[in-house]
Amino acid sequence: MSEEKDTTDAADAKANEDSIRVICRFRPLNSSEVKLGSKMVMKFPAGADDQCVTIGGKLYMFDKVMKPNVTQTQMYEATAKNIVKDVLGGYNGTIFAYGQTSSGKTHTMEGVINDSTLQGIIPRIVNDIFNHIYSMEENLEFHIKVSYFEIYLDKCRDLLDPSKVNLAVHEDKDRVVYVKGATERFVSSPEEVFEVLEEGKSNRHVAVTNMNEHSSRSHSVFLINVKQENLENQKKLCGKLYLVDLAGSEKVGKTGVEGMGLEEAKNINKSLSALGNVIAALADGNKSHIPYRDSKLTRILQESLGGNAKTTIVICASPASFNEVETKSTLDFGRRAKTIKNVVGVNEELTAEEWKKRYEKEKAKNVSAKTKIEKLEEELKRWRSGQTVSADEQLNLADIAMEESMTALAPKLDKPSAVLDLGTSQISLEERNKLQEERERMYQMLDEKDDEIQEQSQLVEKLKEQMLEQEELISATRRDYGNLTKEMSKIQAENESAKEEVKEVLQALEELAVNYDQKSQEAETKSREHNTISDELSQQQSKLKSTQSELGSVKEAQQNQRKRTGDMLRSLLTDLGEVGMVIAKNQDLKKPEPNYEGKVEEEFTVARLFVSKMKSEAKNLVSRAATLEQQQSEGTKKMEISEKDLSDCRLTIVQQEAKMKTLNESIRESDTKKRSLEETLDTMQEEIIQLTASMQMHAVSSEEHQKEVNLKDALEEQLSQHREQHQKQVAQLRNEITDRQHQMEELRDSNQALSLASEQLHWDYDQLKEKEQEKTKRLQELMTLNERREQARQDMKGLEETVTKELQTLYNLRKLFVQDLQSRVKKSAAGEESDDPSGSLAQKQKISFLENNL
């Protein structure tokens, strides 16, 4: 019983080692979830050894469940510590984080690289790999190379060389998937690996969403390839470790991404759904086709999912009730992935001796099997011939079955074992040569088939890319078709509105035809009013001319009066001057003659009378000037009133002319209609006359034929006269119409010129605006340049000060050096020896240092 238990435990352990390990991690509530009032929805059952969690009454079981308060060290020890030994032992390993956006995947995988407490799985596993290598034997030689790439918009992009945008995924001759053209760097210490990680992180696509400030927009894959060689026995092992940080699944309603972010979210969700389909197909176990080629992510992880790799999946989940649906779907994904089992094997390169030993073992097995077959054939022949075989001579079939089962448990070779014993089998040399040739031919065919498969896979990938391009073209054409349909609907609506507008225009034309008579009557009345106003205006103009002539005559009279007064005043002043001269002479002579005194008094009386007359005339002139000024002011007032009346009359005339223009246009339109109607009426009348004439000609008898012919001739002469008059009138009217049409065309041309001028002004205004904006930009640039120049000037001032100080010190040192030399020369001349050579050497060194630096 104990042996059976041990065997069952060993089988379970082997199955657990081969199955995918799933670790579930819950992060704490973040600030936005706390603000929303979300609560933790998961519960951890007691006594479950941290392997179970319940959400909404549903139990989920995993290899390990990490609570929100777990540290990064505990997470690493539970997840990735054991995989380091496996990779160094020649196994392939994979660790990838899965979950919704902002669930802590990047924190789990990368963390803070240079912080020992917050480091994630990748930096810790790098340190652990190098620590294990340092503690291993000295005869082991290791070659470690790393590559770092991302899957962005379903295209493989090298993060160590951003110029490599679309890398292809291929298979080698052993059907192992690899990324062709990815940059591989050899590393020899953890620090070099961390530098590669930082360089790749700086090139990775990251964006801000409503749920995460640093949301990964791509799936990143960090590949560590470890090759080791035993220098003693030349044994080689190779192990690959894929460390994958998946982008989170997104709901656009929660993240609020738009534009390019929406396209990124679509591609992320598409690749994650392809990963879910692969895991569902592997978990089912009955499906013959696994859709690895639906996405580049699943193609790269082909060895990790159902292949030759020890895989650990870290499912990161949010504990908030706000994200309960996404958390449940993440846990369902992990539960499905836990059922998948990988076929794990050591990646070993055998030496020639090991291949020889295997060959000898297989050869010995083949020989023993042949001897058993020969014994069985002899026993069968004896039975068929009727002989009996004793129990001792018979072969024990149970022992043969046990041996076969033991050999079946041993690892099978890729090549058939029957080929290995050609030297001991009883086959002729010719058959043996044929079999060897067939074997070589079969191997060649297999190689050709592998090459064809690789070519076909490349063609399929190219066709997929072409299909994607065609789908993009189809989507673009669909968008264009939608836009065209929208434009067609708009055009149809515009057409219907135009039809309605045409109907309205026809109704308006009918109304215009109805109102034409009214307008013509109004035009006649307005023309009469215009004539009356023009008569009044001519009267006012004649009055204005008469007032202007009166004003001119008044001004001339005023000027004449002023001239007369000036002459009178001049003559009076001359007379007064003469009188004064005479009086002065008389006073100077003092003649006592009585006769002359009487004459002088008489002259004074005459002068007084003349002065009084002049005063009265001056007063009359002043009163006349005042009256003339009053008349002038009254005339100016009348002129202003008449000018106001003239401006009012002009305004009314302009208004009437505009009305007359509109009325004339309507009259022209009506005239054209009238002419067309008259022409049609004339043609109809001519046809009626012809018909009546023909009817009369047929109806009249032969006797009255001559009378009717005479009447007809007379009527035709009258009609011809009337027609000639009518044609002249029509020709005159047509000439008038052509003149009016020319006027209309001139007005239209002037209107078009004005519209073009306005458009030119708008364009000039826009250009001026643009120039102003350019000037403001140039001003800003000049301001920045000025600030930089000022900063440079300040820096140059500081440099100049330091240079001057250093030059001063150099000058002082040179002085000291010269003084020292002079003192030495004097001493040497005096015969004294120098006591301090070190000081001069130090000074020389300092001088050379300063000269070199300056």
Side-chain angles (χ1 to χ4, degrees):
M1 290 292 288
S2 63
E3 288 178 357
E4 289 177 2
K5 283 182 181 178
D6 292 336
T7 54
T8 55
D9 291 338
D12 291 336
K14 191 173 182 182
N16 286 330
E17 285 174 2
D18 293 342
S19 63
I20 290 176
R21 294 183 73 244
V22 180
I23 311 296
C24 179
R25 185 181 190 182
F26 288 95
R27 63 163 173 78
L29 291 170
N30 57 28
S31 58
S32 61
E33 289 168 349
V34 171
K35 285 179 184 177
L36 289 169
S38 295
K39 296 180 180 179
M40 289 194 178
V41 292
M42 76 286 183
K43 293 180 181 178
F44 304 101
D49 294 334
D50 292 335
Q51 289 185 344
C52 297
V53 65
T54 58
I55 293 178
K58 191 175 181 180
L59 182 68
Y60 296 93
M61 190 169 181
F62 303 105
D63 293 291
K64 195 77 174 175
V65 176
M66 312 302 285
K67 295 179 181 177
N69 57 358
V70 125
T71 61
Q72 292 281 70
T73 307
Q74 291 171 344
M75 186 69 198
Y76 172 71
E77 288 175 353
T79 305
K81 192 169 186 179
N82 296 326
I83 210 163
V84 175
K85 294 178 182 177
D86 296 331
V87 171
L88 293 173
Y91 290 98
N92 294 332
T94 302
I95 301 171
F96 69 85
Y98 177 87
Q100 74 168 125
T101 185
S102 77
S103 59
K105 298 181 296 302
T106 306
H107 178 71
T108 301
M109 294 302 294
E110 296 179 4
V112 182
I113 292 173
N114 298 317
D115 193 343
S116 59
T117 56
L118 296 176
Q119 278 182 345
I121 289 170
I122 294 174
R124 288 177 189 274
I125 212 167
V126 168
N127 285 320
D128 217 353
I129 285 169
F130 281 99
N131 289 332
H132 274 79
I133 289 168
Y134 296 151
S135 64
M136 292 177 83
E137 297 175 1
E138 292 182 357
N139 59 354
L140 294 175
E141 188 179 81
F142 288 91
H143 299 279
I144 303 171
K145 57 185 178 181
V146 296
S147 57
Y148 201 9
F149 51 88
E150 68 174 356
I151 300 162
Y152 177 69
L153 298 177
D154 207 27
K155 289 182 181 178
C156 214
R157 183 172 170 270
D158 197 343
L159 291 175
L160 302 179
D161 187 0
S163 61
K164 298 177 182 178
V165 177
N166 191 6
L167 299 174
V169 182
H170 290 287
E171 288 182 355
D172 60 7
K173 60 182 179 179
D174 297 324
R175 303 300 297 273
V176 177
V177 178
Y178 70 99
V179 178
K180 188 177 181 181
T183 303
E184 291 181 338
R185 291 190 185 173
F186 286 93
V187 290
S188 59
S189 65
E191 289 76 17
E192 291 181 4
V193 181
F194 295 157
E195 287 176 4
V196 171
L197 278 169
E198 290 292 343
E199 183 182 349
K201 276 180 71 178
S202 64
N203 294 324
R204 192 179 175 188
H205 284 85
V206 179
V208 178
T209 65
N210 292 340
M211 294 185 71
N212 194 355
E213 290 183 359
H214 303 282
S215 177
S216 302
R217 313 308 296 166
S218 62
H219 311 297
S220 70
V221 181
F222 187 68
L223 174 60
I224 302 173
N225 195 340
V226 182
K227 286 185 179 180
Q228 62 173 326
E229 184 180 356
N230 195 331
L231 299 175
E232 292 180 356
N233 57 10
Q234 281 78 39
K235 187 178 180 180
K236 295 180 181 179
L237 296 176
C238 179
K240 291 181 181 179
L241 180 59
Y242 286 90
L243 300 168
V244 185
D245 178 19
L246 297 177
S249 59
E250 294 186 5
K251 279 191 175 179
V252 180
K254 288 185 178 180
T255 55
V257 292
E258 294 177 352
M260 195 62 194
L262 186 62
E263 289 294 324
E264 292 169 351
K266 286 179 185 177
N267 280 282
I268 290 165
N269 292 333
K270 184 181 176 183
S271 59
L272 291 175
S273 65
L275 177 62
N277 293 333
V278 168
I279 284 172
L282 289 167
D284 190 0
N286 296 323
K287 291 188 177 180
S288 59
H289 173 66
I290 309 298
Y292 288 116
R293 292 181 180 272
D294 286 358
S295 172
K296 285 198 176 179
L297 175 65
T298 53
R299 187 87 173 103
I300 291 166
L301 297 176
Q302 185 172 345
E303 286 291 315
S304 307
L305 302 171
N308 179 19
K310 290 190 174 185
T311 304
T312 301
I313 299 175
V314 182
I315 54 170
C316 300
S318 167
S321 56
F322 178 67
N323 299 317
E324 185 176 355
V325 177
E326 290 86 351
T327 303
K328 284 182 178 178
S329 68
T330 304
L331 296 176
D332 289 331
F333 173 86
R335 188 168 62 180
R336 283 194 300 273
K338 199 176 182 307
T339 61
I340 300 170
K341 292 184 180 180
N342 291 346
V343 181
V344 182
V346 178
N347 302 316
E348 183 180 3
E349 293 182 13
L350 297 175
T351 59
E353 292 178 357
E354 289 174 346
W355 280 112
K356 198 172 182 180
K357 286 177 183 177
R358 285 198 181 185
Y359 173 72
E360 287 173 356
K361 281 181 183 179
E362 293 295 328
K363 193 175 180 181
K365 285 179 187 177
N366 205 1
V367 169
S368 62
K370 279 191 175 182
T371 54
K372 287 174 185 176
I373 289 165
E374 287 173 357
K375 286 179 182 180
L376 287 168
E377 283 178 352
E378 288 176 0
E379 188 179 341
L380 196 139
K381 284 178 182 178
R382 289 173 67 184
W383 281 108
R384 282 179 179 173
S385 61
Q387 297 177 7
T388 57
V389 182
S390 62
D392 296 330
E393 293 177 351
Q394 290 179 5
L395 285 171
N396 193 355
L397 295 173
D399 295 336
I400 293 167
M402 284 293 291
E403 288 176 2
E404 286 178 356
S405 64
M406 290 297 287
T407 54
L409 286 170
K412 293 180 181 180
L413 288 169
D414 294 335
K415 297 176 183 178
S417 60
V419 181
L420 297 172
D421 58 348
L422 289 172
T424 58
S425 60
Q426 297 175 358
I427 301 170
S428 64
L429 287 169
E430 292 179 358
E431 291 178 351
R432 195 178 296 168
N433 292 327
K434 285 180 182 178
L435 286 170
Q436 285 179 353
E437 288 175 358
E438 285 181 0
R439 183 179 66 180
E440 290 175 357
R441 188 168 55 80
M442 290 296 290
Y443 284 149
Q444 287 178 359
M445 287 175 69
L446 283 170
D447 293 335
E448 289 173 358
K449 289 292 181 186
D450 287 334
D451 294 334
E452 286 179 3
I453 287 163
Q454 286 181 358
E455 289 176 358
Q456 290 294 326
S457 63
Q458 290 174 0
L459 283 170
V460 167
E461 288 175 357
K462 286 180 182 177
L463 288 168
K464 277 187 177 178
E465 290 176 357
Q466 289 177 2
M467 285 288 288
L468 289 169
E469 290 175 358
Q470 291 295 325
E471 285 176 358
E472 289 176 357
L473 287 170
I474 288 162
S475 61
T477 50
R478 281 178 181 168
R479 287 172 194 163
D480 294 335
Y481 178 72
N483 294 325
L484 287 169
T485 51
K486 287 178 182 177
E487 288 178 359
M488 283 292 290
S489 60
K490 285 180 182 177
I491 289 162
Q492 286 177 356
E494 288 176 358
N495 194 4
E496 290 177 356
S497 62
K499 285 180 180 178
E500 291 177 356
E501 287 177 358
V502 167
K503 287 180 182 178
E504 291 175 357
V505 168
L506 290 170
Q507 290 176 359
L509 284 170
E510 290 177 356
E511 290 176 358
L512 284 168
V514 172
N515 294 325
Y516 171 70
D517 296 329
Q518 296 177 357
K519 293 289 182 182
S520 60
Q521 291 176 0
E522 288 177 0
E524 289 176 356
T525 54
K526 292 292 181 182
S527 63
R528 290 170 187 168
E529 289 176 359
H530 180 69
N531 293 323
T532 54
I533 289 163
S534 60
D535 294 334
E536 289 176 357
L537 197 141
S538 61
Q539 290 175 2
Q540 291 290 330
Q541 284 177 351
S542 62
K543 286 180 181 178
L544 194 141
K545 286 177 181 178
S546 62
T547 51
Q548 283 178 352
S549 62
E550 287 177 358
L551 196 141
S553 62
V554 167
K555 282 180 180 178
E556 287 176 357
Q558 189 177 6
Q559 286 176 359
N560 293 323
Q561 290 292 330
R562 282 178 182 173
K563 286 179 181 178
R564 286 175 67 190
T565 52
D567 294 334
M568 293 287 286
L569 285 167
R570 284 179 198 138
S571 63
L572 192 145
L573 287 168
T574 52
D575 293 335
L576 285 171
E578 290 174 355
V579 170
M581 290 290 290
V582 170
I583 291 164
K585 286 178 181 180
N586 290 325
Q587 284 179 357
D588 291 332
L589 292 171
K590 291 182 181 180
K591 291 177 180 181
E593 292 178 359
N595 294 323
Y596 287 105
E597 287 177 0
K599 287 180 182 178
V600 169
E601 285 176 0
E602 286 177 0
E603 286 176 357
F604 266 111
T605 53
V606 170
R608 283 172 187 167
L609 289 170
F610 188 71
V611 167
S612 63
K613 283 181 182 179
M614 291 297 291
K615 282 181 181 179
S616 62
E617 286 180 358
K619 284 179 183 179
N620 291 324
L621 286 169
V622 168
S623 62
R624 282 184 183 177
T627 53
L628 287 169
E629 284 176 356
Q630 286 178 358
Q631 287 177 0
Q632 188 178 3
S633 62
E634 288 176 357
T636 52
K637 285 178 182 178
K638 285 179 182 179
M639 283 285 288
E640 287 174 358
I641 292 163
S642 61
E643 282 176 356
K644 286 180 182 178
D645 293 334
L646 264 171
S647 62
D648 294 332
C649 290
R650 283 170 184 168
L651 283 171
T652 52
I653 286 161
V654 169
Q655 291 173 359
Q656 293 295 327
E657 283 177 351
K659 289 179 181 178
M660 285 292 289
K661 283 180 181 177
T662 54
L663 290 168
N664 286 324
E665 287 176 357
S666 59
I667 287 162
R668 286 167 194 161
E669 290 175 356
S670 62
D671 287 334
T672 53
K673 290 179 181 178
K674 187 176 178 182
R675 284 169 198 145
S676 61
L677 291 169
E678 284 177 351
E679 287 175 355
T680 51
L681 197 144
D682 291 334
T683 54
M684 292 294 288
Q685 282 180 354
E686 288 177 356
E687 288 175 358
I688 289 162
I689 290 162
Q690 289 176 0
L691 288 168
T692 52
S694 62
M695 289 290 288
Q696 287 175 1
M697 287 290 289
H698 288 292
V700 174
S701 62
S702 59
E703 292 177 354
E704 295 176 352
H705 183 68
Q706 291 180 355
K707 291 180 181 179
E708 287 178 355
V709 167
N710 293 326
L711 288 167
K712 188 178 178 183
D713 294 329
L715 288 168
E716 282 177 356
E717 286 176 357
Q718 290 178 357
L719 282 168
S720 62
Q721 290 176 0
H722 285 297
R723 279 175 188 169
E724 287 173 357
Q725 291 177 358
H726 183 70
Q727 285 175 356
K728 287 178 182 178
Q729 290 175 358
V730 167
Q732 289 176 359
L733 289 167
R734 283 175 181 168
N735 292 324
E736 289 177 359
I737 287 161
T738 52
D739 294 331
R740 297 294 171 82
Q741 284 177 353
H742 286 303
Q743 289 176 2
M744 287 289 288
E745 285 173 357
E746 288 174 357
L747 289 168
R748 282 173 187 169
D749 293 331
S750 62
N751 192 6
Q752 286 179 355
L754 288 169
S755 63
L756 289 168
S758 65
E759 286 177 357
Q760 185 68 29
L761 287 169
H762 283 298
W763 186 68
D764 293 334
Y765 179 69
D766 293 332
Q767 280 189 344
L768 287 169
K769 269 191 174 179
E770 289 175 357
K771 286 179 182 177
E772 190 176 357
Q773 289 175 357
E774 288 176 357
K775 285 179 181 177
T776 52
K777 286 181 182 176
R778 286 178 184 172
L779 263 174
Q780 290 176 357
E781 289 175 357
L782 289 168
M783 291 281 283
T784 53
L785 284 169
N786 195 5
E787 289 174 357
R788 288 176 184 172
R789 283 177 183 172
E790 287 178 355
Q791 187 67 32
R793 282 175 187 170
Q794 291 176 0
D795 296 335
M796 285 295 292
K797 282 180 182 177
L799 282 168
E800 285 174 359
E801 289 174 359
T802 54
V803 167
T804 51
K805 286 178 183 177
E806 293 293 330
L807 285 168
Q808 188 65 37
T809 53
L810 194 142
Y811 182 73
N812 294 328
L813 282 169
R814 280 187 175 173
K815 272 187 177 181
L816 290 169
F817 183 71
V818 170
Q819 289 173 3
D820 192 12
L821 279 172
Q822 288 175 356
S823 64
R824 282 173 183 278
V825 167
K826 287 176 182 179
K827 284 178 182 179
S828 63
E832 295 177 0
E833 293 181 354
S834 61
D835 297 325
D836 192 12
S838 62
S840 63
L841 284 169
Q843 287 176 358
K844 284 178 184 179
Q845 288 175 358
K846 197 165 186 182
I847 288 164
S848 64
F849 174 75
L850 285 168
E851 284 177 347
N852 290 325
N853 285 326
L854 287 168

